[in-house]
Amino acid sequence: MQTLFEPADPAVAIELAQKVIALADRCKEKFGAMPAFMEVCGSHTMALAKTGVKLILQGHVNLISGPGCPVCVTDQKQIDAMIEVAESDSRIVCTFGDMMRVPGSKRSLLSAKTEGRDVRIVYSPLDAVRIAEENPEKEVVFLGVGFETTVPVLAAAIQMAAHKNINNFSMWATTKLVQPVLRTLLSVKKVKINGFLLPGHVSIVLGEQAYRFLIDEFRMPGVISGFEPVEMLSAIYKLLKMVDEGRPEIINNYKSVVRAGGNKTAQKMMNEFFQPCDESWRGIGMISKSGLEIREKYSRFNAKEKFSIKIGEPKKTPCRCGDMICGLASPEECVLFGKACTPLHPVGPCMVSTEGSCAAHYAYMRKEG
Amino acid sequence: MERKVTLAHGDGGELAHKLIQQIFISAFGNGHAARFDSAYLSLKSGEIAVTTDSFVVRPLFFPGGDIGKIAVSGTVNDLAVAGAIPLYLTAGFIIEEGFSLADLRKIVQSLAEEAGKAGVRVVAGDTKVVEKGGADGVYINTTGVGLQRAGSSVDPSRIEAGDDIVVSGTIGDHGIAILAARGELGLMTDLESDCASLNKMIAALIDGGCDVKMMRDPTRGGVATTLVEIAEDFGAVLEIEERTLPIRNEVKGACDILGFDPLYLANEGKVILVVSHADCPQALDILRRFPEGENTAVIGHVAGRGRGTGQLLLETPLGSKRRIHRLSGMMLPRIC
């Protein structure tokens, strides 16, 4: 069995890494700056750090983490609201593990749990529906954060609840879409990059055609990549080649998994249960039609309508998560990194989530104790 | 006899007497010692080793073992890796009111069976019953007493550059088996926990004259945490190679999907050894003769000693080295 992060053959990976470095150095000489690519997916951020690819390319290719960690891009106000949902004895709050330690303005879901609130980690939103079924006297709320990869599963949970008529189940959905944020990064935030390492997982749902606009509107190359070292190195190599030759394209380098048109069933599920909405992104602000909300037809499963949650303005911290997800700062440029902000005592979500750039840097790139 | 444990089973009366006689004494076969408030043990002269551990595993029965088996192997292994010969155990049970007596009997019999396999005697015990909700089924505490093994070379102060780091089989099996057994993963796997008493295998290693300098069992926190502790405690720089880590495909697959790292997953039947490079082939040969050690592998070496604080480095298949730290907080499953 070949697993996701295992190199197909270390010798191939090492040879490929040397080719990448040679081409990167040539580009640097040719254009007078180190080539910079942004990985959009949080799993890439983690895999690049964990497999040592980022370390081996250090000084040759600048790999910048983008807004691909679903927890990291969630607005502080939304996080506060989601933690506030747990503040009731009559509710069971279910969430993915990543959300547990994300600090709200007052406290985290984990501290709410420690103080006796019923907060449960589930591996799938469908488990939350089952919990609702087993606890008819309680309101069960699933905190649904995620990108296009996760939304079809959120839709499946609503479908299951609707089908079984489980009315004590609802979802607090704060979902994000990849296309609008990439457009905003390039047009509004003006991030300085030479191309995108495009997300393998999201692309399974969207398909490679979803990124045409990068070429049409920005002449920005992108390569859809898998997660093991050879796949990531080969994607980076293809990006460098396009930069070198000045011929930007969208290349699907993950053909075994990603189809041109994506996964139609998943897209259908998303459309059936969700509709586009404006979403606020941490560090970026409101982006028009950059998220999905539960369709009105299913509003009885929409926790935002079901419960009245009042929250104040979030308190400000020197945390630079917002800059981090726009590729405008690296973890070590944040004054809090590794000192006031560690995975045990995170200040911002980039340090909490297993896909966050700060957590990846702390776990896999940190040299000192 | 009733089918469930009641509070009356814990109050010292007739029911408590029956419970102890029918479930515990009959399983452990040391009835003579149970007539007194303390057990008298005969020990040859020398240093004794004592260790204690509490077991709160959920679920109580899992593929490859149960709380009774692990309550023996966990404590036996703690003695064995410290270089002692495990001899005696005590077992304290905290039982939740309403717990099935049939399950309790199964657990106690499993505990007795594992004690028999490991060659240790259960000489003292205790039962307490707490109200429903006051515990999660059954908790067990075992205390183990052992005698220092004569001629053992185990002495971490002798760790030096060039020594090999060995693990006695595949890592992370227990961690994933338990998670899967909880039914929360949505994963089907026939993976079994590795939980086993290792004292006989370790005895063979020591008796074989291998120059073993350090032994630890990488339970909670896994191989990474254990090696970080060794590195820090003895000021050593340890280097392990990712490609040499023995990991079952089922464990790799589950970790990839969930975002876990096998290096931090618990093991309940593995030992990590620091052994002199010269004696390493012999150590591998001995360990691999045992079913618990058939997948023994060299995973790295001691790169240095006494240069500042210790650290653990992992060489990735690409050849870059990254530092491994203690796990921060708990391992949490990722979103996508």
Side-chain angles (χ1 to χ4, degrees):
Chain A
M1 189 182 82
Q2 183 70 44
T3 66
L4 287 177
F5 302 107
E6 195 179 7
D9 179 352
V12 174
I14 292 167
E15 203 187 314
L16 194 50
Q18 281 156 358
K19 280 176 75 180
V20 167
I21 289 171
L23 186 54
D25 290 350
R26 206 169 78 205
C27 287
K28 187 175 170 184
E29 219 177 279
K30 191 165 164 184
F31 301 106
M34 203 198 311
F37 302 120
M38 176 178 275
E39 80 268 5
V40 179
C41 174
S43 296
H44 272 149
T45 300
M46 219 53 184
L48 285 166
K50 189 174 176 186
T51 56
V53 169
K54 192 162 179 160
L55 208 62
I56 216 164
L57 298 184
Q58 221 166 34
H60 306 282
V61 180
N62 188 10
L63 292 169
I64 300 167
S65 303
C69 150
V71 174
C72 310
V73 297
T74 303
D75 191 62
Q76 186 67 51
K77 225 170 163 173
Q78 281 294 325
I79 287 185
D80 284 348
M82 286 190 267
I83 296 169
E84 193 64 29
V85 173
E87 301 292 329
S88 164
D89 283 337
S90 62
R91 287 181 210 141
I92 300 172
V93 165
C94 300
T95 172
F96 291 125
D98 290 43
M99 280 294 294
M100 284 303 275
R101 287 185 292 130
V102 176
S105 288
K106 278 187 285 181
R107 59 173 164 172
S108 66
L109 285 171
L110 192 63
S111 58
K113 182 178 164 70
T114 308
E115 282 163 39
R117 298 302 180 197
D118 198 342
V119 182
R120 304 183 191 182
I121 295 175
V122 293
Y123 295 82
S124 158
L126 299 175
D127 293 338
V129 181
R130 276 179 217 115
I131 291 171
E133 207 172 8
E134 287 157 13
N135 297 275
E137 75 293 349
K138 298 262 184 157
E139 282 291 335
V140 174
V141 187
F142 182 77
L143 305 180
V145 296
F147 282 91
E148 288 95 331
T149 334
T150 315
V151 180
V153 197
L154 301 180
I158 298 175
Q159 186 184 42
M160 182 173 161
H163 178 71
K164 291 187 163 180
N165 222 357
I166 300 170
N167 289 315
N168 61 326
F169 170 82
S170 61
M171 186 179 288
W172 190 285
T174 303
T175 63
K176 300 282 193 292
L177 301 175
V178 166
Q179 286 160 300
V181 74
L182 295 189
R183 192 173 267 122
T184 303
L185 285 181
L186 293 174
S187 60
V188 183
K189 289 281 172 178
K190 313 271 185 214
V191 296
K192 297 268 183 294
I193 53 167
N194 302 100
F196 284 111
L197 192 68
L198 293 167
H201 296 149
V202 164
S203 304
I204 295 171
V205 177
L206 289 181
E208 61 183 88
Q209 283 155 6
Y211 306 106
R212 284 303 320 167
F213 76 97
L214 291 174
I215 303 295
D216 299 342
E217 296 172 31
F218 304 99
R219 287 188 51 77
M220 180 63 71
V223 179
I224 300 169
S225 173
F227 299 89
E228 60 88 31
V230 171
E231 289 171 334
M232 293 187 292
L233 283 165
S234 127
I236 294 167
Y237 185 77
K238 287 183 177 170
L239 280 168
L240 284 165
K241 222 164 156 49
M242 288 190 280
V243 171
D244 185 34
E245 295 167 3
R247 284 191 295 125
E249 279 178 63
I250 300 301
I251 297 175
N252 181 359
N253 210 32
Y254 201 28
K255 282 215 169 85
S256 54
V257 179
V258 176
R259 283 176 265 176
N263 183 332
K264 299 288 179 205
T265 313
Q267 292 165 8
K268 223 177 108 194
M269 283 293 281
M270 285 165 75
N271 285 333
E272 166 69 21
F273 294 93
F274 287 87
Q275 63 188 28
C277 69
D278 299 346
E279 270 290 345
S280 181
W281 295 60
R282 182 183 292 260
I284 301 178
M286 198 60 91
I287 303 178
S288 161
K289 303 284 181 242
S290 66
L292 293 171
E293 64 185 3
I294 298 169
R295 279 196 189 278
E296 232 167 81
K297 191 176 159 192
Y298 299 101
S299 62
R300 65 185 191 281
F301 299 112
N302 189 342
K304 289 180 180 171
E305 299 197 5
K306 204 167 185 176
F307 309 108
S308 132
I309 301 292
K310 288 195 183 63
I311 42 153
E313 278 303 310
K315 69 166 189 232
K316 292 233 180 310
T317 71
C319 165
R320 296 188 66 186
C321 276
D323 289 340
M324 226 69 80
I325 62 163
C326 298
L328 299 174
S330 65
E332 281 176 348
E333 288 175 85
C334 177
V335 292
L336 303 176
F337 179 80
K339 299 178 190 87
C341 183
T342 63
L344 271 187
H345 300 284
V347 177
C350 290
M351 186 57 97
V352 182
S353 171
T354 49
E355 301 176 14
S357 51
C358 296
H361 198 90
Y362 192 88
Y364 299 125
M365 307 281 289
R366 182 170 47 118
K367 293 266 190 278
E368 61 289 342
Chain B
M1 203 166 171
E2 287 72 13
R3 289 173 43 220
K4 288 194 161 146
V5 176
T6 64
L7 285 175
H9 280 112
D11 70 358
E14 181 64 22
L15 275 176
H17 176 71
K18 265 193 187 167
L19 180 81
I20 290 163
Q21 286 298 328
Q22 294 177 357
I23 291 192
F24 291 94
I25 304 282
S26 62
F28 299 142
N30 288 322
H32 60 282
R35 283 170 299 175
F36 307 100
D37 278 356
S38 294
Y40 280 92
L41 311 174
S42 305
L43 292 170
K44 292 181 205 129
S45 61
E47 271 193 283
I48 64 163
V50 180
T51 186
T52 190
D53 208 342
S54 298
F55 298 84
V56 294
V57 61
R58 184 168 60 87
L60 296 169
F61 300 91
F62 48 85
D66 56 66
I67 191 172
K69 182 180 180 188
I70 212 169
V72 173
S73 64
T75 296
V76 162
N77 291 346
D78 280 346
L79 289 171
V81 297
I85 304 165
L87 295 173
Y88 302 106
L89 284 185
T90 69
F93 282 69
I94 293 173
I95 311 164
E96 184 186 12
E97 180 190 10
F99 190 72
S100 149
L101 273 170
D103 281 349
L104 181 63
R105 188 185 295 273
K106 257 164 77 183
I107 289 167
V108 172
Q109 277 169 354
S110 168
L111 192 151
E113 192 186 319
E114 186 64 17
K117 269 195 215 162
V120 293
R121 283 171 55 205
V122 181
V123 290
D126 177 50
T127 56
K128 293 283 182 293
V129 180
V130 296
E131 277 180 55
K132 196 157 185 64
D136 188 6
V138 171
Y139 301 148
I140 304 177
N141 171 277
T142 52
T143 293
V145 178
L147 203 59
Q148 193 192 32
R149 182 178 291 278
S152 153
S153 64
V154 174
D155 174 9
S157 69
R158 295 195 303 115
I159 293 176
E160 60 188 358
D163 291 344
D164 283 317
I165 302 170
V166 171
V167 64
S168 67
T170 51
I171 65 175
D173 299 0
H174 180 74
I176 293 295
I178 287 287
L179 277 171
R182 285 182 191 163
E184 293 167 357
L185 294 187
L187 292 176
M188 293 289 285
T189 173
D190 46 15
L191 184 71
E192 290 197 347
S193 161
D194 56 355
C195 115
S197 300
L198 303 175
N199 54 324
K200 293 196 170 157
M201 181 171 81
I202 289 170
L205 191 69
I206 305 291
D207 293 344
C210 290
D211 187 13
V212 176
K213 301 182 179 180
M214 172 93 197
M215 288 187 282
R216 288 284 305 272
D217 59 338
T219 53
R220 197 170 43 184
V223 168
T225 309
T226 303
L227 288 175
V228 168
E229 283 170 2
I230 294 176
E232 287 179 357
D233 290 350
F234 303 102
V237 177
L238 308 180
E239 286 189 10
I240 55 174
E241 275 182 73
E242 195 171 331
R243 61 177 180 83
T244 61
L245 296 174
I247 307 172
R248 285 185 203 280
N249 280 334
E250 299 95 303
V251 173
K252 272 186 196 165
C255 285
D256 281 356
I257 291 166
L258 299 166
F260 289 168
D261 189 338
L263 276 173
Y264 293 99
L265 290 173
N267 308 279
E268 287 294 344
K270 295 290 153 27
V271 56
I272 291 182
L273 310 158
V274 178
V275 58
S276 75
H277 186 63
D279 282 7
C280 188
Q282 192 200 349
L284 297 182
D285 187 50
I286 293 172
L287 292 170
R288 284 176 185 157
R289 275 185 226 150
F290 289 80
E292 309 89 272
E294 61 177 356
N295 294 314
T296 296
V298 182
I299 59 168
H301 65 281
V302 179
R305 181 84 205 270
R307 284 179 287 145
T309 52
Q311 52 178 280
L312 174 63
L313 298 169
L314 176 105
E315 187 179 324
T316 69
L318 288 176
S320 53
K321 285 178 194 168
R322 63 175 164 85
R323 177 126 182 233
I324 300 213
H325 305 269
R326 280 191 180 80
L327 192 65
S328 301
M330 30 178 198
M331 265 199 285
L332 296 170
R334 63 151 168 252
I335 294 178
C336 68

